[in-house]
């Protein structure tokens, strides 16, 4: 189930809601069957081999079978989730690479929902019942790597304060009494973020200059619109040298001769290297320009748990319509 973006002002009676932390990790569904554990990403990829410590911890839960919903997070030396750190664990499959990364970057599983228990579907059970059963179930494991984090019932202000204090991404609000909607969105799960983020589909890259000469300078971003991928700008900041090497390795096999995006300015297209638009990333940003480009994007990392058709504009009220765009003056990022 997915959450829609919301603003604190959208809530009426907060007593109708429970508030959880937004952990800034990778979404995962865990399937437990006897002593077997399988971890699937939102896109359906089997990522069990990438996070063996999580699979081992889930095996300690005393249950015949269960389907659990949660998020894998990497923690820094202060015990705080770090999406940047998690990037070094994403997509690793070779045992040697996984073991090396596991020692350097430990991960935990934050569980927040229970869809099935011992063969019985719970998706039509009310949220608070599912959460109570989940807490009881995970308590049987008594393993620090698997947790059911505390909630803030009816107190959004307190939840936001704690989230900001812990330097988390934000808060997820869940309406009491609500059902679980597999693969869907509903106004019963809402996310409130401290900082603006935007998921993007990567359609190409441009050459770097200066110390980045001979490598990647920026990535060309897009969002789905009316069955096509509309260009929304390029991101060239937020990368480490390791990031750039890994990005190059990831994009090289996806090279193609033609542009997969629409509305790409000639200045950005003239030296672009195009790729199949199958990879999703995430940027932090300041909003949208009048030219319908992402304003001041900073790269945060890949989102292997998302498919291109999962991407949507997070703040549509700030993204001008095509008609508005035709009448607007040139935006700052187009003048540089």
């Amino acid at each position: 189930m997915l959450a829609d973006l919301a603003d604190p002002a959208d809530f009426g009676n907060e007593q109708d809601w429970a508030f959880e932390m937004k952990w800034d990790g990778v979404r995962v569904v865990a399937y437990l069957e006897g002593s077997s554990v399988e971890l699937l990403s939102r896109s359906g990829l089997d990522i069990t081999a990438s996070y063996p410590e999580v699979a081992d911890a889930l095996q300690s839960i005393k249950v015949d079978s269960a389907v659990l919903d949660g998020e894998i997070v990497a923690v820094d030396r202060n015990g705080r989730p770090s999406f940047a750190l998690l990037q070094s664990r994403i997509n690793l499959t070779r045992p040697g690479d996984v073991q090396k990364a596991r020692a350097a970057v430990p991960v935990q599983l934050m569980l927040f929902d229970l869809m099935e228990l011992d063969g019985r579907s719970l998706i039509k059970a009310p949220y608070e019942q599912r959460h109570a059963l989940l807490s009881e179930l995970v308590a049987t494991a008594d393993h620090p790597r698997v947790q059911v984090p505390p909630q803030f019932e009816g107190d959004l202000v307190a939840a936001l304060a704690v989230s900001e204090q812990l330097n988390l991404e934000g808060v997820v609000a869940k309406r009491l009494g609500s059902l679980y909607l597999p693969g869907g969105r509903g106004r019963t799960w809402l996310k409130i973020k401290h900082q603006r983020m935007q998921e993007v589909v990567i359609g190409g890259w441009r050459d770097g200059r200066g110390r980045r000469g001979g490598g990647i300078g920026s990535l060309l971003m897009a969002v789905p619109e009316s069955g096509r991928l509309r260009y929304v700008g390029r991101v060239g900041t937020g990368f480490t040298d390791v990031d750039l090497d890994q990005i190059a390795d990831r994009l090289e096999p996806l090279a193609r001769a033609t542009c997969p995006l629409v509305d790409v300015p000639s200045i950005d297209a003239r030296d672009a290297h195009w790729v199949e638009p199958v990879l999703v990333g995430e940027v932090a940003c300041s909003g949208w320009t009048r030219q319908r480009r992402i304003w001041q994007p900073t790269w945060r990392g890949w989102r292997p748990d998302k498919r291109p058709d999962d991407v949507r504009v997070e703040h549509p009220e700030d993204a001008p319509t095509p008609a508005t765009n035709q009448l607007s003056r040139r935006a700052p990022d187009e003048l540089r």
Side-chain angles (χ1 to χ4, degrees), residues 305-327:
D305 54 334
K306 302 293 180 69
R307 299 181 295 266
D309 56 5
D310 291 327
V311 174
R312 59 171 56 187
V313 174
E314 291 281 4
H315 290 269
E317 72 279 3
D318 291 344
T321 63
T324 302
N325 176 50
Q326 293 169 2
L327 298 175

Side-chain angles (χ1 to χ4, degrees), residues 26 41-43 45 87 90-91 280 302-306:
V26 170
S41 71
R42 258 202 58 208
S43 57
L45 295 176
Q87 294 295 302
I90 288 175
N91 291 330
V280 175
W302 295 108
R303 297 303 315 229
D305 54 334
K306 302 293 180 69

